[in-house]
């Protein structure tokens, strides 16, 4: 599935968060959104998965205006893994993943054998099949994030929207999570905090600052020391691995002299 935005503007109260955002994710393309805190990444994603309505602009799913889809229809096409996964009700892991089947169900329709099969397959893909009967509330932040990915996989959607999905994961599970997503071979749009993760998995990157796109292209085109300095106000060295061709970003430490700050 293709996703495009055209001149998106969004306000939160009196704050102008998105300022004319146009992006394009081709079918089966892994698109990263990078930028400092407050740049508008999460707001953009919320507009895509319809948690927030943009003030101006249009979102297209396969060249069709998203407003022409019902919420349930768009949920069949797009699955979401967000940063915050706190729930007031306690569910076991299997029931959490089965919620991903709800866009495919009629009102109060019961889960069937196929739904349970998909649930088990989804848990297996994220390495959490043995947790099916565990209470979701007892899991660590990283474990919860993997269950939320399993729930998204259970939707069998054509596109996956990720909002900084690996923040709560250690290095092993960051790589496992992103590799699992990459192997799905579907359209992915992800806000990514870690630039090395973005370089490793993204086909294309959009860099955001103060609600605007300031750069886009392949990781090698976007992730330069000049762009990183402009975006994050830090010095970095960008090295290309001779064996894999992957980029490695190395940050230079800054010693803060408190006396100078007084």
């Amino acid at each position: 599935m293709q996703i495009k935005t055209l001149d998106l503007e969004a306000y939160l109260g009196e704050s102008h968060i998105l300022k004319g955002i146009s992006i394009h994710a081709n079918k089966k393309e892994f698109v990263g959104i990078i930028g400092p805190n407050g740049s508008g990444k999460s707001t953009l994603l919320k507009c895509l998965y319809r948690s927030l309505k943009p003030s101006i602009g249009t979102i297209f799913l396969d060249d069709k205006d998203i407003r022409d889809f019902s919420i349930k229809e768009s949920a069949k096409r797009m699955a979401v893994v967000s940063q915050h996964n706190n729930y007031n009700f306690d569910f076991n892991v299997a029931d959490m993943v089965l919620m991903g089947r709800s866009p495919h169900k009629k009102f109060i329709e019961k889960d069937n054998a196929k739904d349970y099969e998909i649930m088990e397959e989804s848990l297996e893909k994220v390495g959490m099949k043995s947790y099916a009967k565990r209470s979701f509330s007892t899991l660590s932040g990283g474990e919860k994030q993997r269950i939320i990915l399993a729930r998204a996989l259970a939707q069998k959607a054509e596109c996956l929207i990720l909002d900084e999905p690996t923040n709560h994961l250690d290095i092993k599970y960051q790589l496992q999570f992103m590799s699992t997503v990459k192997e799905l071979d579907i359209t992915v749009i992800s806000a990514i905090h870690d630039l090395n993760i973005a370089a490793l998995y993204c086909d294309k990157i959009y860099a955001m600052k103060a609600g605007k796109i300031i750069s886009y292209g392949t990781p090698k085109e976007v992730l330069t020391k000049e762009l990183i300095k402009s975006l994050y106000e830090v010095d970095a060295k960008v090295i290309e691995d001779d064996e894999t061709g992957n980029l490695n970003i190395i940050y230079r430490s800054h010693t803060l002299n408190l006396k100078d700050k007084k």
Side-chain angles (χ1 to χ4, degrees):
M1 183 176 72
Q2 290 188 68
I3 297 184
K4 292 189 289 186
T5 72
L6 182 62
D7 299 329
L8 286 192
E9 306 264 341
Y11 290 82
L12 294 178
E14 296 182 357
S15 300
H16 193 182
I17 307 299
L18 300 182
K19 304 169 184 177
I21 300 294
S22 297
I23 68 170
H24 185 189
N26 288 310
K27 185 177 180 181
K28 298 185 178 182
E29 192 171 43
F30 198 123
V31 175
I33 312 291
I34 65 170
N37 293 338
S39 59
K41 303 186 301 296
S42 291
T43 300
L44 171 59
L45 297 187
K46 286 177 181 178
C47 290
L48 293 179
Y49 62 79
R50 307 182 82 175
S51 174
L52 183 68
K53 185 177 180 181
S55 308
I56 302 172
T58 311
I59 300 168
F60 297 96
L61 306 183
D62 285 335
D63 296 320
K64 184 177 179 180
D65 193 323
I66 197 171
R67 290 169 291 192
D68 294 335
F69 294 92
S70 69
I71 296 295
K72 188 170 185 177
E73 286 173 335
S74 58
K76 288 180 181 179
R77 290 170 167 260
M78 285 190 293
V80 180
V81 177
S82 63
Q83 296 182 60
H84 307 292
N85 300 304
N86 295 318
Y87 294 86
N88 293 325
F89 301 98
D90 194 15
F91 299 93
N92 69 30
V93 165
D95 287 338
M96 284 294 297
V97 177
L98 284 167
M99 289 180 190
R101 301 301 300 152
S102 59
H104 302 273
K105 315 291 284 186
K106 296 178 181 178
F107 182 61
I108 68 170
E109 181 182 353
K110 293 183 179 181
D111 296 318
N112 56 38
K114 183 64 176 178
D115 296 320
Y116 278 91
E117 181 182 331
I118 291 172
M119 176 269 291
E120 291 178 355
E121 288 174 353
S122 300
L123 282 173
E124 189 166 9
K125 283 183 179 179
V126 300
M128 299 290 283
K129 190 174 181 179
S130 63
Y131 284 65
K133 295 182 179 180
R134 285 274 302 273
S135 169
F136 182 77
S137 64
T138 66
L139 304 182
S140 69
E143 289 168 341
K144 287 180 179 178
Q145 198 71 340
R146 290 157 67 195
I147 297 306
I148 298 303
L149 174 59
R151 184 179 69 180
L153 299 183
Q155 280 182 241
K156 297 294 184 181
E158 303 169 61
C159 175
L160 190 57
I161 307 294
L162 308 175
D163 191 352
E164 299 190 358
T166 61
N167 280 5
H168 304 297
L169 304 180
D170 62 33
I171 295 170
K172 173 185 174 181
Y173 290 116
Q174 285 184 41
L175 297 174
Q176 183 191 73
F177 184 105
M178 297 301 281
S179 294
T180 298
V181 171
K182 186 78 170 179
E183 289 168 4
L184 296 174
D185 200 28
I186 62 175
T187 307
V188 178
I189 301 178
S190 178
I192 300 176
H193 179 72
D194 188 321
L195 299 186
N196 283 301
I197 291 289
L200 191 58
Y201 291 100
C202 293
D203 300 310
K204 182 166 64 183
I205 294 174
Y206 287 89
M208 290 185 66
K209 186 175 184 179
K212 296 181 179 180
I213 301 292
I214 65 167
S215 181
Y216 69 93
T218 65
K220 290 181 182 179
E221 291 170 336
V222 174
L223 296 176
T224 65
K225 63 181 184 179
E226 293 81 12
L227 185 280
I228 294 169
K229 178 71 172 180
S230 172
L231 206 58
Y232 298 101
E233 300 179 2
V234 297
D235 294 315
K237 187 175 183 180
V238 181
I239 301 172
E240 185 173 339
D241 189 296
D242 291 335
E243 293 183 8
T244 65
N246 294 326
L247 298 183
N248 292 300
I249 294 100
I250 302 171
Y251 302 104
R252 296 179 178 176
S253 63
H254 288 255
T255 302
L256 181 63
N257 190 328
L258 297 179
K259 292 182 180 180
D260 294 339
K261 299 296 287 185
K262 293 180 179 179

